[in-house]
């Protein structure tokens, strides 16, 4: 729906900020409980899982395509604590950010 698309675009455009369900629901002028229900119904995953996957996808892209430090990438995808970012990354990807970068960049 248009409302969920608006929420997704808001998340993508504000990835580096502290994003919460409340903030996104506020942005689209919707009750947070109903937004959460509608998001899961339309997207198939809950809001937090979607947001985490979005942040990690961007982090992977930045790890491969830039020479930014891990803590800089963490900030760019909305994690203020690089250690927490590293733990979340490893839990979902199976590698630390540094290991992922090493494995996925060509040293040609």
């Amino acid at each position: 729906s248009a409302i969920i698309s608006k929420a997704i675009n808001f998340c993508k455009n504000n990835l580096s900020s502290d994003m919460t369900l409340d903030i996104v629901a506020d942005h689209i002028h919707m009750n947070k409980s109903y937004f959460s229900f509608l998001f899961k119904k339309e997207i198939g995953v809950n809001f937090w899982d979607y947001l985490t996957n979005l942040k990690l996808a961007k982090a992977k892209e930045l790890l491969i395509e830039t020479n930014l430090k891990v803590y800089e990438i963490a900030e760019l995808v909305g994690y203020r604590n690089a250690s927490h970012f590293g733990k979340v990354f490893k839990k979902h990807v199976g590698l630390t950010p540094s290991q992922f970068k090493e494995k996925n960049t060509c040293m040609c």
Side-chain angles (χ1 to χ4, degrees):
S1 71
I3 201 88
I4 296 301
S5 292
K6 184 177 179 182
I8 287 171
N9 286 333
F10 180 73
C11 291
K12 288 179 179 177
N13 293 330
N14 296 282
L15 206 53
S16 65
S17 67
D18 288 331
M19 190 69 54
T20 65
L21 182 70
D22 287 336
I23 290 170
V24 178
D26 242 16
H27 177 74
I28 59 171
H29 311 292
M30 188 178 280
N31 171 287
K32 73 177 182 177
S33 297
Y34 184 66
F35 168 66
S36 180
F37 165 78
L38 190 61
F39 192 92
K40 179 152 186 165
K41 181 180 174 190
E42 289 192 23
I43 304 301
V45 296
N46 70 44
F47 175 77
W48 287 115
D49 288 343
Y50 173 82
L51 188 59
T52 299
N53 289 332
L54 183 65
K55 289 178 177 209
L56 293 178
K58 183 64 175 177
K60 287 189 229 179
E61 177 185 315
L62 291 169
L63 284 164
I64 292 169
E65 296 176 1
T66 72
N67 288 319
L68 293 170
K69 304 284 185 206
V70 172
Y71 73 89
E72 293 171 314
I73 291 171
E75 286 182 14
L76 287 173
V77 297
Y79 287 90
R80 301 296 168 247
N81 182 318
S83 175
H84 177 65
F85 167 71
K87 289 175 186 172
V88 172
F89 193 95
K90 180 154 183 160
K91 177 182 176 190
H92 289 270
V93 179
L95 301 167
T96 67
S98 298
Q99 290 168 332
F100 178 85
K101 182 176 183 73
E102 186 178 315
K103 184 177 180 184
N104 291 283
T105 52
C106 178
M107 298 296 177
C108 305

